[in-house]
Amino acid sequence: MSSFQLKAEKREKLGSLEARRIKLAGKIPAVIYSKNGNINISFDKREFEIEFSKGNIQTRVVEIEVAGKKIKAIAHKVDLDPVSDHPIHVDFLNCDETKAVKAKAKLNFINQDKSPGLKKGGFLHIVLRKVEIICQDAKNILEKIDVDVGSMQVGYKIRSNSLALPNGVTLARKDSFLIASIIGRGKAEDETPAAAAAAAGSAATPAAAGAATAAKPAAGAKDDKKK
């Protein structure tokens, strides 16, 4: 787990006009959610964007210095400008008040070059690129979770209950949700030669029956010859 530091100023005034003034000054408005009362702050935009550009901001603890006090927090939500994609507001969760820490870890799909399904022309359909995790403390926050697709055939699905998590880390969601699947060209792993042959035979039956019906002379045609 990596961490970084930010120097922040406490915001006494709130509202859209004040937020606009802060942004024009080259800063980002933010809030630290705490059990003992939320703390509204602002900090240097460039300083935060350097850390944000590393791509793992939601799995890193930041030590925020505000009003002579240092608070350990983690970015829970980062709002982006719809045009520039630059951060415009950040929600932090206070890590000092609780042992359990929520974070959003990246899913890292490995061994794609070994997947039989992808080799046959299949496509790795990624449903989620991040999952929310709960860590016992800030020391064991995961930045990424490896998802091995090396043995995946066409039709295979990876669900959340198959993710390998270390001790002290659990998923925030308790249900079994879809992570990724192999879709597209190629045979599914449960399509055996016998099943394929049976399917081909059943498909040919209507055609064969039609041919037999066409070849059989009509009873009326036979009586006409006798006459």
Side-chain angles (χ1 to χ4, degrees):
M1 179 205 71
S2 58
S3 61
F4 63 101
Q5 296 180 340
L6 276 178
K7 288 186 177 181
E9 298 175 357
K10 199 169 184 179
R11 289 189 293 144
E12 302 296 342
K13 296 180 180 180
L14 303 177
S16 56
L17 289 177
E18 180 64 13
R20 187 169 181 271
R21 185 192 68 79
I22 290 172
K23 292 173 186 177
L24 289 174
K27 296 182 179 181
I28 298 177
V31 59
I32 304 173
Y33 288 100
S34 300
K35 292 180 180 178
N36 299 325
N38 300 335
I39 306 171
N40 296 291
I41 59 172
S42 64
F43 43 78
D44 185 76
K45 180 180 179 180
R46 290 184 180 180
E47 187 178 354
F48 181 78
E49 284 188 341
I50 290 173
E51 303 299 333
F52 179 77
S53 65
K54 296 177 182 178
N56 56 355
I57 196 72
Q58 291 178 304
T59 55
R60 300 175 64 199
V61 172
V62 52
E63 190 176 70
I64 303 173
E65 184 178 343
V66 54
K69 184 180 178 181
K70 292 182 178 180
I71 302 172
K72 288 183 179 180
I74 190 166
H76 176 68
K77 182 182 178 184
V78 181
D79 293 330
L80 304 179
D81 184 278
V83 177
S84 65
D85 267 354
H86 289 294
I88 56 175
H89 189 275
V90 186
D91 291 346
F92 290 100
L93 297 180
N94 193 328
C95 294
D96 288 331
E97 295 179 342
T98 178
K99 280 190 174 184
V101 178
K102 279 189 176 182
K104 289 185 179 179
K106 282 185 176 181
L107 294 173
N108 182 37
F109 296 89
I110 61 174
N111 293 327
Q112 295 187 42
D113 58 326
K114 298 178 181 178
S115 167
L118 295 179
K119 287 181 179 180
K120 293 176 183 176
F123 173 72
L124 178 60
H125 175 56
I126 298 174
V127 179
L128 294 174
R129 294 189 178 274
K130 288 184 178 181
V131 291
E132 191 170 40
I133 56 176
I134 300 176
C135 309
Q136 285 184 354
D137 55 55
K139 294 180 180 180
N140 60 355
I141 293 177
L142 295 179
E143 291 188 7
K144 65 177 182 178
I145 301 171
D146 287 338
V147 183
D148 192 349
V149 300
S151 61
M152 289 182 68
Q153 301 274 1
V154 173
Y156 268 34
K157 294 180 180 179
I158 294 180
R159 306 193 74 84
S160 57
N161 55 4
S162 66
L163 295 178
L165 300 175
N167 292 333
V169 179
T170 58
L171 294 175
R173 285 178 59 178
K174 302 304 180 185
D175 59 317
S176 178
F177 52 91
L178 185 63
I179 298 294
S181 61
I182 298 284
I183 61 176
R185 291 159 34 179
K187 292 181 179 180
E189 54 88 21
D190 57 348
E191 186 178 344
T192 61
S202 61
T205 299
T213 303
K216 183 179 179 180
K222 186 175 180 182
D223 291 342
D224 290 342
K225 287 183 180 180
K226 288 183 178 180
K227 292 179 180 178

